[in-house]
């Protein structure tokens, strides 16, 4: 029996049981990705093979090794825990075990209302991928399953994944751009004062020297905005989708504006 790659490209799948004849389909190699690679809500995987198949690079996302509970035959529990590839799963139990892991549509795991996607299990680094609390303060480090991860990034296109009205960027994030918060519904973006790359002025995000406007929050209520005279560049989408602004006074230091700066806006002046 064969399963074509991509056949299980479903966000709503939470539990999968693989009969012995199907397990090798999970273990493809080369540049392709595994058939469960894009099942973002998968929490439990049941394998019936007593002898582990070879698990190759690309079979699972890094975060799935952490968020998915692997259920294997009782007689093979210790074998899977030491088998190359399979041993990367953080939680391996016998077929009667349970994980009780909460699933998240956008994240590998959620702690205190902030969702995270694993960037590297080896380096123990994660990116913020969603929020469900009104005032989200991103920590420098987050603990999950007795491991400590460094929070070094925020995923682009936060949009519907962000349920916060206020977000504070931590001291370790080093890359942000206009598309990061486009459509997120934020009213204010603040920055930890120890961050060497970014700063916030009145809830608006700039680089540390206030020479680059990165993001004017979509739901920030400010009818007239006077840009700091130090600003020389403006990011694409940086002022997009804000329907409260009616007047913008630009810095004289700006020579050109990139495309999509005002995407989705209704400014009058």
């Amino acid at each position: 029996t064969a399963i074509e790659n991509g056949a299980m490209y479903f966000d709503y799948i939470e539990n999968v049981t693989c009969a012995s004849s199907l397990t090798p389909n999970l273990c493809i190699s080369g540049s392709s990705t595994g058939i469960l690679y894009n099942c973002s809500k998968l929490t439990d995987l049941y394998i019936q093979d007593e002898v582990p198949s070879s698990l190759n690079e690309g079979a699972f996302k890094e975060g799935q090794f952490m968020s998915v509970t692997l259920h294997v035959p009782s007689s093979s529990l210790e074998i899977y825990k030491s088998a190359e590839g399979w041993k990367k799963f953080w939680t391996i139990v016998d077929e009667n075990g349970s994980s009780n892991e909460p699933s998240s549509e956008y994240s590998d795991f959620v702690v205190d209302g902030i969702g995270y996607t694993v960037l590297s299990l080896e380096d123990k680094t994660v990116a913020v991928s969603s929020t469900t609390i009104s005032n989200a303060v991103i920590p420098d480090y987050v603990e999950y399953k007795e491991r400590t991860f460094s929070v070094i990034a925020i995923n682009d296109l936060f949009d519907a994944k962000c349920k916060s009205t206020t977000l504070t960027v931590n001291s370790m994030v080093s890359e942000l751009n206009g598309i990061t918060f486009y459509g997120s519904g934020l009213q204010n973006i603040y920055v930890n004062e120890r961050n060497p790359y970014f700063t916030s002025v009145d809830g608006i995000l700039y680089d540390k020297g206030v020479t680059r406007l990165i993001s004017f929050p979509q739901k920030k209520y400010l009818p007239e905005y006077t840009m700091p005279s130090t600003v020389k560049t403006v990011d694409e989408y940086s002022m997009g989708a804000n329907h409260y602004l009616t007047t913008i006074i630009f810095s004289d230091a700006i020579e050109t504006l990139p495309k999509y700066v005002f995407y989705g806006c209704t400014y009058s002046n």
Side-chain angles (χ1 to χ4, degrees):
T1 303
I3 302 176
E4 291 293 330
N5 185 33
M8 302 180 73
Y9 195 108
F10 300 121
D11 282 339
Y12 54 79
I13 291 179
E14 295 184 7
N15 302 284
V16 171
T17 299
C18 277
S20 298
S21 61
L22 298 181
T23 304
N25 290 274
L26 301 175
C27 312
I28 62 175
S29 60
S31 59
S32 300
T33 54
I35 60 172
L36 299 177
Y37 190 88
N38 291 298
C39 294
S40 60
K41 296 188 73 173
L42 182 67
T43 59
D44 293 88
L45 175 61
Y46 296 81
I47 301 294
Q48 296 180 353
D49 285 323
E50 292 188 352
V51 178
S53 299
S54 297
L55 192 65
N56 296 301
E57 191 72 25
F60 296 95
K61 288 182 180 178
E62 284 282 286
Q64 287 177 310
F65 288 113
M66 178 183 58
S67 61
V68 174
T69 294
L70 182 65
H71 303 257
V72 300
S74 300
S75 59
S76 303
L77 183 59
E78 296 306 317
I79 298 175
Y80 274 90
K81 286 184 176 181
S82 60
E84 197 63 36
W86 297 101
K87 65 183 181 182
K88 291 179 68 177
F89 282 93
W90 287 18
T91 306
I92 303 177
V93 299
D94 63 32
E95 60 259 54
N96 298 314
S98 61
S99 60
N100 296 318
E101 283 292 321
S103 63
S104 171
E105 183 177 359
Y106 305 116
S107 310
D108 291 327
F109 65 92
V110 178
V111 176
D112 295 333
I114 300 177
Y116 301 91
T117 298
V118 175
L119 300 177
S120 170
L121 285 176
E122 182 179 358
D123 297 334
K124 294 182 180 178
T125 55
V126 296
V128 172
S129 51
S130 64
T131 65
T132 58
I133 51 177
S134 59
N135 181 17
V137 179
I138 299 174
D140 286 341
Y141 301 95
V142 60
E143 291 190 6
Y144 183 70
K145 289 189 175 181
E146 299 181 350
R147 291 169 172 82
T148 301
F149 291 89
S150 300
V151 185
I152 64 170
I154 300 175
N155 286 347
D156 286 350
L157 293 173
F158 223 21
D159 49 60
K161 308 173 191 70
C162 177
K163 305 300 182 184
S164 303
T165 55
T166 298
L167 182 139
T168 300
V169 178
N170 68 0
S171 68
M172 301 178 70
V173 170
S174 60
E175 294 185 14
L176 294 171
N177 54 61
I179 198 66
T180 303
F181 300 110
Y182 178 79
S184 65
L186 289 168
Q187 296 176 7
N188 291 285
I189 302 172
Y190 299 114
V191 180
N192 186 302
E193 61 182 12
R194 293 185 290 109
N195 188 299
Y197 306 101
F198 307 107
T199 192
S200 174
V201 179
D202 297 327
I204 303 168
L205 182 65
Y206 303 89
D207 70 333
K208 195 68 172 181
V210 196
T211 62
R212 170 187 162 213
L213 171 62
I214 300 171
S215 183
F216 189 104
Q218 177 188 353
K219 290 192 176 181
K220 186 171 187 62
Y221 183 76
L222 186 67
E224 181 174 311
Y225 166 56
T226 300
M227 191 176 293
S229 60
T230 53
V231 174
K232 298 179 180 179
T233 61
V234 178
D235 278 19
E236 292 184 4
Y237 298 98
S238 58
M239 307 182 76
N242 185 298
H243 300 293
Y244 300 110
L245 264 173
T246 58
T247 301
I248 303 172
I249 301 174
F250 286 95
S251 163
D252 291 336
I254 293 180
E255 295 183 358
T256 59
L257 290 175
K259 60 183 179 180
Y260 306 128
V261 171
F262 308 114
Y263 190 81
C265 296
T266 55
Y267 305 144
S268 59
N269 295 291

